Structures are given as structure tokens and as C-alpha cells.
């Protein structure tokens, strides 16, 4: 059993299967997951995976509900928004270009944005699983800015060298990279 705590942010770029799989992998590994989902992230989970309720049951991980903490994205006073909340890192999956731009600019209007800013400020690991294409020059500048600030940009673009036979193989490949 792990004693790690990972903050997971979900925003509104396509990629809900990645979210569901990442949360399951983390929880199965004994990790405590602290989850904040944007309004468009909730829409994404519903449209791509028919998830109505963002909780253990809705995400299909009710057996791990004791280690899954879900926060309101409008609650900027939530504990994950404070540097005093000690955690082992944050993954934003999928990370929209809008969220990437907000983080690069230091904008903290949502809990996902605020938790990311605090993660960088406290020099903890921040992984942005960007999932939009093509990239604009602004996206590239924002990626450079967050990388200079200490984040890792990990675009959700799976490789094919492992000869996938299903979409789940591609999802597992990327989730494995993110967990690493």
C-alpha cells in the first residue's frame, strides 16, 4: 500500500477514457487521489463515458472510495489549493489549451488552476497531459512557459511501437507514461 497523494485535475479537452483509467490505476496502487473537475471536464466525462456523477460509483471505483476525494472546482479554499496540503504531485488530464494558458499566465479562477499554481509554487511535480491538436504558436509558448516553471508537458499522443490491438492498449500506454 502506498502513502502517496496525487492531485488530479480534469478539464474539457477530449480524453475521458484516460481520466477513468488513470484514477483506477492510481487507486489500485494504493495512492490517495484528490480530484477536481472543471465544468467542461464534467461535460467531457458525461459525453465520452456516460459518467453522470463524479464520485467513486460514477467513476467505477467505489471499492476505493476511502481514498478518493472529490472537490468542487469553484472552491478555491479547498485544501488542495493550499501549499500546506502536502502531496506528491498533480496531473491534469486532459489538459485543455485554455487551462494550459491560464496556468502559464498565473490565472487561478478555478480550483484546477489554483492547485496547479500551488503545485508549481511549492516545487512539486506538475504533469499536464495536453490533448488538443493542432497546436497554435500560443500553445507552444505556453508549453515552454510552464516547462520553464517546472511542469512536464506530456501530450496525449500514444505511440504504436507496442503494437496496440485495442483503444484500451493506447489508453494504458499513455496512463503508464503519466504514472511514471
Amino acid at each position: 500500500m502506498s502513502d502517496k497523494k496525487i492531485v488530479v485535475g480534469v478539464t474539457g479537452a477530449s480524453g475521458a477514457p484516460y481520466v477513468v483509467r488513470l484514477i483506477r490505476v492510481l487507486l489500485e496502487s494504493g495512492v490517495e487521489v484528490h480530484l477536481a473537475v472543471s465544468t467542461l471536464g464534467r461535460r467531457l466525462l458525461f459525453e465520452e463515458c456516460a459518467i453522470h456523477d463524479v464520485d467513486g460509483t460514477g467513476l467505477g471505483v467505489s471499492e476505493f472510495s476511502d481514498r478518493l476525494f472529490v472537490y468542487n472546482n469553484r472552491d478555491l479554499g479547498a485544501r488542495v489549493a493550499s501549499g500546506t496540503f502536502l502531496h506528491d504531485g498533480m496531473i491534469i488530464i486532459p489538459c485543455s489549451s485554455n487551462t494550459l494558458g491560464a496556468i502559464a499566465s498565473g490565472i487561478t479562477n478555478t480550483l484546477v488552476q489554483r492547485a496547479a499554481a500551488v503545485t508549481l509554487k511549492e516545487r512539486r511535480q506538475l504533469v499536464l497531459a495536453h490533448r488538443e491538436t493542432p497546436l497554435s504558436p500560443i500553445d507552444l509558448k505556453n508549453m515552454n512557459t510552464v516547462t520553464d516553471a517546472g511542469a512536464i508537458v506530456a501530450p496525449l499522443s500514444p505511440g504504436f511501437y507496442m503494437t496496440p490491438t485495442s483503444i484500451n492498449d493506447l489508453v494504458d500506454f499513455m496512463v503508464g507514461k503519466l504514472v511514471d
Side-chain angles (χ1 to χ4, degrees):
M1 202 53 107
S2 171
D3 60 350
K4 290 188 180 284
K5 295 177 186 174
I6 300 292
V7 177
V8 176
V10 178
T11 65
S14 183
Y18 292 116
V19 175
V20 173
R21 185 68 177 137
L22 175 71
I23 290 170
R24 173 162 288 283
V25 166
L26 290 172
L27 291 169
E28 284 178 346
S29 299
V31 174
E32 195 174 281
V33 174
H34 295 263
L35 178 64
V37 183
S38 73
T39 302
L40 291 176
R42 286 179 180 275
R43 179 177 175 176
L44 164 80
L45 290 169
F46 174 74
E47 289 180 354
E48 293 186 4
C49 291
I51 294 172
H52 296 276
D53 297 315
V54 180
D55 59 15
T57 302
L59 293 166
V61 293
S62 58
E63 69 272 31
F64 303 109
S65 290
D66 62 320
R67 288 195 316 275
L68 176 64
F69 301 88
V70 181
Y71 301 89
N72 184 318
N73 195 46
R74 293 182 303 261
D75 183 5
L76 297 183
R79 64 186 184 159
V80 296
S82 172
T84 61
F85 177 70
L86 301 179
H87 62 82
D88 298 286
M90 179 176 185
I91 300 172
I92 301 179
I93 180 171
C95 181
S96 66
S97 287
N98 182 57
T99 300
L100 170 67
I103 294 166
S105 301
I107 296 170
T108 59
N109 291 328
T110 69
L111 182 56
V112 171
Q113 295 167 359
R114 173 73 182 148
V118 169
T119 298
L120 288 174
K121 172 181 76 83
E122 297 293 329
R123 304 288 192 256
R124 296 188 185 113
Q125 193 76 270
L126 174 63
V127 178
L128 305 179
H130 191 264
R131 216 306 312 143
E132 293 193 33
T133 192
L135 299 174
S136 74
I138 294 168
D139 292 326
L140 294 172
K141 286 179 184 175
N142 287 336
M143 287 179 178
N144 191 55
T145 298
V146 298
T147 299
D148 286 347
I152 294 172
V153 177
L156 291 171
S157 51
F160 292 90
Y161 54 84
M162 78 296 201
T163 60
T165 58
S166 70
I167 290 175
N168 287 339
D169 290 345
L170 297 172
V171 169
D172 284 347
F173 172 81
M174 286 309 307
V175 166
K177 289 279 192 187
L178 295 170
V179 170
D180 286 347

